[in-house]
Amino acid sequence: MTITEIATELKTLKSVLIFSHNRPDGDTLGSATALRLALKKLGVRADIVCFSDIPDKLKYLSGVEFISKEPLKDFKYSAYVSVDCSTEGMFSDLYSIYEKSPLTINIDHHVSNTMYAKLNYVENTASCCEIIYSLILALGVEIDSDIADCLLTGIVTDTGAFCHSNVTDNTLYVASMLKKSGADLHKIIKLNFKNQTKQRSDLYASVISKMRYRLDGKVGILVITKSDIESAGAVDNMTEGFIDYPLTVDTVEVAISLLETSKNRYKISLRSKGKVNVNEIASLYGGGGHILASGAVLNGHLEDIIDKLCFNVEQRL
Ligand SMILES: [Mn+2]
């Protein structure tokens, strides 16, 4: 499938339901809101669903207020389109609805994408929004400042404000074109990276103060328990970005964060400076992502999980 073929297909449709992934980030929501605005300009009805709550800091995205948690009961959409969703699991309970559509379109940038849809477009870009940018151009829709803000949000958030190694010349080119179309880069960076609540700051301080090291400092580990979150008066979607901290330590090759989601169940995030392919490690546990950034969900005792993951890292160092 080429992006032009996806665009041609979308133009024939009357209505589209766009799926963002659970625990949504700037990329999945930026992709969904930008695509919705573009399709509306073509007269295609477009709605968005997302299993989880929308983080407050992303509520500036145009149209985000129309996102619902489940599809309208008695409306038949021509197609379902997922953005930034690498696996069936990223839909949470919404996958059983998604898979029932006669036409499903999967647009994503994760190398681990399982190609679960009828039409799949997966390209290894820094953000899904980079792909949606090309798709909107292929649709022949002019990018206005609202669409530009949505797309630049995904690029800025998935690249850590252009700091991660996933940034390519195309990432910067697209960002530059979006700025030209009216995107407010300063606002996007400020709202996503320099505007945390006191609760998040308190949680960050307590989690970082308990950072552990393994394998002679080559692995940096953050554990975020339910009680850490409660004591800070925080909520678990505030932990986004914590994982970047251990990688700022010079000896650390791999960062691991473990977020307790329920008793003996942890959401694991993995980041690598390059020596270790953490997508391989996440895949061992039914997760996935990118070579340098991936995640999985693991059940078991905290210390056992840490031992296992450190063993997996050690084998690859
Ligand atoms: Mn993404």
Side-chain angles (χ1 to χ4, degrees):
M1 263 335 251
T2 65
I3 205 73
T4 316
E5 286 166 343
I6 300 276
T8 307
E9 187 73 40
L10 284 174
K11 278 199 215 174
T12 66
L13 305 174
K14 280 205 173 63
S15 61
V16 165
L17 184 62
I18 304 166
F19 287 67
S20 274
H21 62 70
N22 60 9
R23 292 173 53 88
D25 58 14
D27 194 29
T28 194
L29 293 178
S31 295
T33 49
L35 183 57
R36 173 179 171 272
L37 293 172
L39 288 171
K40 273 174 56 130
K41 287 194 182 199
L42 291 171
V44 179
R45 177 184 170 149
D47 297 323
I48 305 170
V49 283
C50 178
F51 180 78
S52 322
D53 293 333
I54 308 303
D56 284 339
K57 67 178 177 186
L58 290 167
K59 292 205 170 140
Y60 66 89
L61 295 170
S62 177
V64 83
E65 65 274 24
F66 302 118
I67 299 179
S68 54
K69 288 204 166 172
E70 49 188 64
L72 292 170
K73 287 274 178 293
D74 31 51
F75 187 83
K76 280 244 171 303
Y77 292 88
S78 323
Y80 287 169
V81 179
S82 50
V83 286
D84 200 38
C85 300
S86 58
T87 62
E88 294 84 336
M90 290 184 81
F91 292 76
S92 289
D93 295 355
L94 291 180
Y95 189 73
S96 57
I97 294 169
Y98 180 85
E99 67 177 351
K100 286 200 183 84
S101 174
L103 179 57
T104 52
I105 304 174
N106 160 20
I107 303 171
D108 185 35
H109 70 121
H110 296 87
V111 290
S112 60
N113 192 289
T114 54
M115 306 288 183
Y116 49 79
K118 180 156 181 278
L119 306 180
N120 299 281
Y121 185 83
V122 179
E123 192 188 344
N124 186 16
T125 51
S127 65
C128 190
C129 280
E130 260 177 80
I131 303 173
I132 303 295
Y133 172 81
S134 312
L135 176 61
I136 292 175
L137 291 190
L139 286 168
V141 172
E142 199 193 327
I143 296 189
D144 60 25
S145 61
D146 283 341
I147 295 178
D149 263 352
C150 297
L151 292 175
L152 192 57
T153 293
I155 293 175
V156 163
T157 54
D158 265 23
T159 60
F162 307 102
C163 286
H164 300 333
S165 59
N166 57 0
V167 174
T168 64
D169 53 351
N170 187 62
T171 313
L172 294 173
Y173 170 77
V174 173
S176 159
M177 289 296 126
L178 294 171
K179 181 96 172 61
K180 212 170 174 179
S181 299
D184 189 340
L185 176 65
H186 180 70
K187 174 192 80 180
I188 293 168
I189 291 181
K190 179 174 172 260
L191 291 178
N192 283 285
F193 295 107
K194 298 176 188 292
N195 198 39
Q196 63 179 328
T197 58
K198 182 179 169 298
Q199 288 80 1
R200 184 198 185 264
S201 169
D202 288 350
L203 179 62
Y204 189 74
S206 87
V207 168
I208 300 299
S209 71
K210 290 182 287 185
M211 178 155 80
R212 317 185 199 178
Y213 296 97
R214 286 282 191 90
L215 304 176
D216 299 326
K218 292 193 182 80
V219 179
I221 302 166
L222 298 179
V223 177
I224 309 144
T225 64
K226 277 196 172 302
S227 92
D228 291 326
I229 292 172
E230 271 163 34
S231 334
V235 291
D236 69 357
N237 70 19
M238 290 179 185
T239 60
E240 199 195 320
F242 284 21
I243 183 76
D244 295 326
Y245 187 80
L247 280 194
T248 66
V249 178
D250 57 2
T251 58
V252 171
E253 280 298 330
V254 173
I256 303 175
S257 85
L258 302 98
L259 170 68
E260 183 184 23
T261 56
S262 55
K263 195 169 161 47
N264 293 330
R265 189 171 171 85
Y266 294 86
K267 183 180 178 287
I268 313 295
S269 295
L270 299 155
R271 296 288 184 277
S272 168
K273 276 186 189 161
K275 279 190 188 149
V276 176
N277 176 348
V278 290
N279 181 45
E280 277 177 18
I281 299 178
S283 305
L284 296 172
Y285 304 102
H290 307 280
I291 292 168
L292 301 180
S294 66
V297 174
L298 268 82
N299 295 309
H301 291 288
L302 179 65
E303 300 306 324
D304 295 340
I305 294 174
I306 291 175
D307 287 347
K308 267 199 276 194
L309 292 169
C310 288
F311 176 72
N312 300 142
V313 173
E314 193 174 16
Q315 285 180 313
R316 289 169 175 80
L317 270 170

